[in-house]
Amino acid sequence: MGAEDWATLLRELDQKVTPARCAVLEVVASTDAHLSADEIVSRVADLVPDVHRATVFRTLERLVELGLVAHVHLPHGATTYHLRQPGERMHLHVLCRACGDVFDVDPALLDDVADALASSLGFRLAADHAALSGVCAVCASGSAGDVDVEREL
Amino acid sequence: MGAEDWATLLRELDQKVTPARCAVLEVVASTDAHLSADEIVSRVADLVPDVHRATVFRTLERLVELGLVAHVHLPHGATTYHLRQPGERMHLHVLCRACGDVFDVDPALLDDVADALASSLGFRLAADHAALSGVCAVCASGSAGDVDVEREL
DNA sequence: ATGAGTGCAAAGTGTTTGCAACTAT
DNA sequence: ATAGTTGCAAACACTTTGCACTCAT
């Protein structure tokens, strides 16, 4: 999507079109990765200088409200943001506590868990909203003795 | 367990016995709830005055290393700590993002998920380490319209 | 005696907020 | 014109760290 399209999209949602907003959308849309607010701030700076951190936070909050962006809380460290694909089902996230990588996982994986929680506790699970933690294949084999792995993320 | 027992336990683990440590152990053992470091600080203050925050943090870190205490990262807000029962299997946690309550859940619930992640990605899941989020029964029914529920925890 | 543990103050993240200036409509 | 947005600075919540002093052993 080009810059013009973000403007159109925002207008359709009755939002004001500003350089900061377009830049944030552009940045978030530019990658499949999960970006922290900090990373977004610095990437936005490459597109539009002098966009303030606070503005990025406020903009992200707004975009989440509008359903354009999703955020995931990681067990350690900053919240990450990524574009939310319209029809697509929200995926679930697992974080490697050794290397910090986030892996996207099939949301169906937690369906049984969600059902079990719903029937036993009446609890409605939002599987996409928080990441689970563990150790990825690379880190598990790499540092055979699990030295750094216990480093607590 | 009385104060004397904490001293004994610490000695068995080759740790120095100090009032601060015993108090932290006492506090963590005094409840089934998941306490934040802050809550522990203030409860410790009732037992032993003038124990500094930093000491509580350092002590908790140590107790986790020793395997006496477990900590759980919540999707939002502070890390919580609770006593770790020796033989007992670590439980899994779900957080209500409306009221903030943490529910303990049968760890077996995630066994299938853990297996699936292991075989598909080689990922080793630490199910107890991070809480999942959702909405508890009370909050789901209470605020029918889900007003506050979207408040993002 | 001596090294581990502690209090304190200070810094470090990540995020939010009040307010005055600005700008998209 | 005017309501919504922004930049700034300051505050916030949670946690860590360097250092000198104290205490358990």
Side-chain angles (χ1 to χ4, degrees):
Chain A
M1 257 194 202
E4 204 35 58
D5 299 302
W6 298 127
T8 308
L9 180 56
L10 287 171
R11 261 187 284 265
E12 279 168 5
L13 294 165
D14 291 312
Q15 296 299 311
K16 302 228 159 148
V17 176
T18 69
R21 285 183 180 179
C22 294
V24 170
L25 272 169
E26 183 64 32
V27 165
V28 172
S30 70
T31 173
D32 286 337
H34 300 72
L35 301 174
S36 68
D38 244 17
E39 288 162 334
I40 295 170
V41 168
S42 77
R43 294 190 189 199
V44 163
D46 296 338
L47 301 179
V48 181
D50 302 320
V51 174
H52 199 270
R53 307 171 84 54
T55 300
V56 171
F57 276 97
R58 283 186 283 227
T59 301
L60 286 168
E61 189 183 22
R62 174 65 56 86
L63 296 177
V64 168
E65 280 168 30
L66 294 172
L68 300 177
V69 166
H71 61 273
V72 186
H73 298 293
L74 303 186
H76 212 88
T79 299
T80 62
Y81 299 82
H82 61 86
L83 201 63
R84 200 172 149 183
Q85 246 62 32
E88 191 191 34
R89 186 167 173 199
M90 298 276 261
H91 50 259
L92 139 80
H93 306 84
V94 289
L95 170 83
C96 173
R97 74 214 230 197
C99 66
D101 262 20
V102 177
F103 299 82
D104 291 348
V105 177
D106 178 6
L109 209 61
L110 277 196
D111 282 350
D112 288 345
V113 175
D115 290 346
L117 288 174
S119 56
S120 67
L121 294 174
F123 194 93
R124 289 203 259 147
L125 186 65
D128 50 278
H129 195 68
L132 285 169
S133 98
V135 181
C136 75
V138 176
C139 292
S141 62
S143 60
D146 286 2
V147 188
D148 263 309
V149 170
E150 299 301 341
R151 223 199 41 198
E152 148 68 22
L153 264 165
Chain B
M1 255 195 201
E4 202 38 58
D5 299 302
W6 298 127
T8 308
L9 180 56
L10 287 170
R11 262 187 284 267
E12 278 167 5
L13 294 165
D14 292 312
Q15 297 299 311
K16 301 226 161 152
V17 176
T18 69
R21 286 183 180 180
C22 293
V24 170
L25 273 169
E26 184 64 32
V27 165
V28 172
S30 71
T31 174
D32 286 338
H34 299 74
L35 300 175
S36 67
D38 244 17
E39 289 162 334
I40 295 170
V41 167
S42 76
R43 295 192 187 197
V44 163
D46 295 338
L47 300 179
V48 181
D50 302 322
V51 173
H52 199 269
R53 297 177 146 287
T55 300
V56 171
F57 276 97
R58 283 187 282 227
T59 301
L60 286 168
E61 189 182 23
R62 174 64 57 85
L63 296 178
V64 169
E65 281 168 28
L66 294 171
L68 299 178
V69 166
H71 60 272
V72 186
H73 299 291
L74 303 186
H76 211 88
T79 299
T80 61
Y81 299 83
H82 61 87
L83 202 63
R84 200 171 150 184
Q85 246 62 32
E88 193 191 33
R89 185 167 173 197
M90 297 277 259
H91 50 260
L92 136 80
H93 307 84
V94 290
L95 170 82
C96 173
R97 73 213 228 198
C99 65
D101 262 19
V102 177
F103 299 82
D104 291 348
V105 177
D106 178 5
L109 210 61
L110 278 196
D111 283 351
D112 289 346
V113 175
D115 289 347
L117 288 174
S119 55
S120 66
L121 294 174
F123 194 94
R124 289 203 259 146
L125 186 67
D128 50 279
H129 196 66
L132 285 169
S133 96
V135 181
C136 76
V138 176
C139 293
S141 62
S143 60
D146 286 359
V147 187
D148 262 309
V149 169
E150 300 301 339
R151 222 200 41 198
E152 146 72 20
L153 263 166

